[in-house]
Amino acid sequence: MAVRLLTCALMLLAVAVQRSGRIAGHNLAVAGAESDSVVLSGTREAFVIDTRAIAADIKGYGGDIPLKITVSNGKVSRIEPQRNAETPEFFSEVQDRLLRQYTGMTPEEVLQSQLDAVSGATLSSRAAMETMKRGMEYAVNRQVPAKNAIDWSVLGSARFVISFCVVLMGAVVPLFVRNRRYRTIQLALNVLVLGFWCGTFLSYSLIVNYLANGLNRLYSVIPLFLLVTAFVYPFFGRKSHYCTWLCPLGSLQELAGSCTKRKWKLSPEKLKYLDRFRDGLWALLMLLMWSGVCLEWMDYEPFSAFLFTKASWIVIVIALVSVALSFVVTRPYCRFVCPTGNLFRITQNPR
């Protein structure tokens, strides 16, 4: 099992390099390929600040969020996000609803501002706000700002505490308690808290982003705990623990399936065909990623459909079809499609 886990980790590292050119936050690009200047051009009245040289340590969901900030006549006149690995649909909300609010502010006003994060894109929002303030601190003092102190208050927020309790329950209680009623409660909490309220789940995109950019301070505590249940629990005989006890989408499918007693009976031949389809799909997607083709498929796994106001229509449709089929087939997406779940399974089970 350890060999399979290491092999999958190396495969995903290759994907992370292909997607972002980084490993654990270290840029593998040729030195000097990007400018290390903070002020790109202009005069004291009108200048452009590039945050890549001063805010690379600030991480969103997919890594740093470099910005080119134009300051004209003492006010922010333009903000241009540069290439980043954030999920496009979610980051467009950050750009439209958050970054635009800084236009017309003075650097001092930006530093004093307390804007609200975009719901469902909290990590991207926080990173964008911290990056803006890092750039405006340079604009005011004309020297490289110190790195931001860790905001320990995150650990005390209601969202963190409640979601962490739900994850802890799903990770620990099933080790000692086998009760159908408790299982139903846990599945419902997964859907309501981890899914709709917090948008907390494992996905290919999250795993690849962590390999490429490293962990994101305190905001990675809960996802890291989920990764332990997915990759470490199997070493102690708890295979598929994350998929069966914590995944919000898997929980929603199971709850939907519990509403009906009659299910389609799939013959052994059909089950074998569906298993081959799942494995073939996973192999094809990995091959495409290694080739640098269609890396964007990771952004279309249906987990983000819980954040339905931000998710793309394709993601929502896939999620709705999966839940609808769950009434007649047990957990269809989990068993016959899910690339993330198949990754966990391949690291656990010999072929």
Side-chain angles (χ1 to χ4, degrees):
M1 186 182 294
V3 174
R4 292 191 298 275
L5 182 59
L6 178 60
T7 302
C8 284
L10 292 175
M11 290 191 300
L12 292 177
L13 274 175
V15 173
V17 173
Q18 183 71 257
R19 189 182 197 191
S20 64
R22 292 193 295 265
I23 293 180
H26 300 287
N27 200 329
L28 302 182
V30 178
E34 293 184 351
S35 172
D36 59 357
S37 300
V38 182
V39 177
L40 296 180
S41 61
T43 64
R44 292 194 65 84
E45 288 72 30
F47 53 89
V48 179
I49 289 179
D50 187 341
T51 64
R52 285 177 293 183
I54 57 175
D57 61 300
I58 301 174
K59 307 296 184 183
Y61 178 80
D64 58 327
I65 301 177
L67 304 172
K68 286 185 180 178
I69 309 167
T70 302
V71 178
S72 303
N73 298 319
K75 295 183 178 181
V76 176
S77 61
R78 188 176 184 183
I79 303 171
E80 300 175 79
Q82 303 302 293
R83 181 182 178 184
N84 60 65
E86 301 300 297
T87 303
E89 288 80 7
F90 287 73
F91 187 71
S92 65
E93 291 283 328
V94 174
Q95 185 173 352
D96 294 340
R97 295 174 51 189
L98 179 63
L99 290 178
R100 285 186 178 180
Q101 296 186 55
Y102 290 115
T103 303
M105 290 186 183
T106 65
E108 292 80 6
E109 288 172 338
V110 172
L111 292 174
Q112 295 173 4
S113 64
Q114 297 292 331
L115 304 182
D116 293 328
V118 176
S119 178
T122 305
L123 292 180
S124 300
S125 298
R126 290 182 183 275
M129 289 188 284
E130 289 183 27
T131 300
M132 273 297 301
K133 292 187 176 183
R134 186 75 64 85
M136 292 302 92
E137 188 175 345
Y138 183 88
V140 171
N141 301 317
R142 290 303 175 103
Q143 61 183 13
V144 177
K147 293 183 179 180
N148 296 341
I150 295 177
D151 183 9
W152 294 99
S153 64
V154 172
L155 298 181
S157 67
R159 180 168 297 191
F160 177 89
V161 172
I162 294 175
S163 59
F164 185 75
C165 287
V166 171
V167 169
L168 195 63
M169 288 169 57
V172 176
V173 175
L175 302 180
F176 307 98
V177 176
R178 293 185 179 181
N179 182 279
R180 182 176 297 180
R181 181 174 298 178
Y182 169 74
R183 178 167 177 79
T184 301
I185 293 173
Q186 179 67 48
L187 295 178
L189 288 174
N190 294 341
V191 172
L192 296 175
V193 177
L194 301 185
F196 287 111
W197 191 33
C198 300
T200 300
F201 43 75
L202 296 181
S203 65
Y204 246 93
S205 181
L206 177 75
I207 296 170
V208 171
N209 286 338
Y210 279 168
L211 291 173
N213 303 297
L215 299 179
N216 186 6
R217 295 181 178 178
L218 299 179
Y219 309 121
S220 299
V221 171
I222 293 177
L224 185 60
F225 208 93
L226 295 177
L227 286 169
V228 168
T229 65
F231 287 113
V232 178
Y233 269 41
F235 283 93
F236 300 95
R238 301 293 299 189
K239 295 180 179 181
S240 302
H241 189 93
Y242 168 78
C243 296
T244 56
W245 278 100
L246 284 165
C247 175
L249 183 59
S251 299
L252 183 57
Q253 290 178 84
E254 184 165 335
L255 289 173
S258 66
C259 297
T260 57
K261 294 183 178 180
R262 292 187 177 181
K263 297 288 191 298
W264 288 344
K265 293 184 178 180
L266 299 176
S267 65
E269 292 76 14
K270 290 181 179 179
L271 289 173
K272 184 180 295 186
Y273 172 80
L274 290 171
D275 286 343
R276 289 176 178 174
F277 170 79
R278 177 196 59 212
D279 292 343
L281 176 64
W282 182 83
L284 175 61
L285 292 174
M286 290 297 294
L287 180 62
L288 289 174
M289 289 193 296
W290 291 331
S291 304
V293 178
C294 199
L295 288 166
E296 294 78 10
W297 75 261
M298 288 185 286
D299 297 326
Y300 292 94
E301 288 190 281
F303 309 113
S304 60
F306 286 102
L307 306 172
F308 54 88
T309 60
K310 314 295 185 307
S312 69
W313 67 268
I314 297 176
V315 168
I316 294 175
V317 168
I318 295 174
L320 289 176
V321 170
S322 300
V323 175
L325 287 174
S326 299
F327 288 98
V328 292
V329 178
T330 303
R331 299 169 70 105
Y333 183 81
C334 300
R335 295 167 63 198
F336 307 126
V337 179
C338 184
T340 298
N342 204 37
L343 172 68
F344 301 152
R345 185 183 61 83
I346 286 173
T347 61
Q348 299 164 15
N349 300 327
R351 300 302 296 166

